[in-house]
Amino acid sequence: MISIYFNQNLLIATDLGIPDAFYILGIADAIGELRRKTLEHLRKKELEEAEKTYQMMEELYELLWELEYPKALVPNLRQKIDAMRRVLEETHHDIFLAYLR
């Protein structure tokens, strides 16, 4: 999900020649990388950029939350979505604390 990290146009699974399940799980994993990017922005006191990255995380979470894939097609998706929610909450808290400083 390098495209997401570097704010480039996102290719779809068929463009990349990979199965949809792998693509969806890759997006779920990208949330952790976006958290790292957000924390790096906060470290550099780039609060606006941190907010933008967090919004991207939120949008990806909402997109995946709405998917109704059977467990057999995308194993572990529900667990990843639950983990994403925790990561989002922690990131939101970090941004909140950055504004207090």
Side-chain angles (χ1 to χ4, degrees):
M1 304 298 3
I2 292 172
S3 300
I4 294 171
Y5 192 85
F6 290 107
N7 296 320
Q8 298 174 348
N9 290 333
L10 190 61
L11 298 173
I12 58 174
T14 53
D15 292 339
L16 297 169
I18 61 173
D20 291 341
F22 295 153
Y23 185 81
I24 291 166
L25 292 173
I27 289 175
D29 290 338
I31 296 292
E33 294 304 318
L34 290 172
R35 173 168 166 72
R36 287 179 195 81
K37 184 176 182 180
T38 302
L39 294 175
E40 185 63 22
H41 287 307
L42 292 175
R43 187 184 67 76
K44 294 177 181 176
K45 303 204 185 310
E46 300 169 348
L47 298 181
E48 187 174 312
E49 289 301 314
E51 283 276 350
K52 286 180 187 176
T53 305
Y54 176 77
Q55 289 302 318
M56 203 179 322
M57 293 169 68
E58 278 280 329
E59 290 172 18
L60 290 174
Y61 171 79
E62 290 172 13
L63 175 78
L64 292 178
W65 178 252
E66 293 176 6
L67 291 178
E68 292 293 330
Y69 275 91
K71 244 184 192 179
L73 290 179
V74 186
N76 300 321
L77 179 60
R78 189 55 46 201
Q79 293 88 345
K80 284 185 180 276
I81 290 173
D82 292 343
M84 288 168 59
R85 183 74 247 159
R86 285 189 302 278
V87 168
L88 284 168
E89 289 169 0
E90 290 170 5
T91 306
H92 187 261
H93 182 71
D94 291 333
I95 292 171
F96 171 76
L97 292 176
Y99 276 104
L100 293 178
R101 294 181 187 150

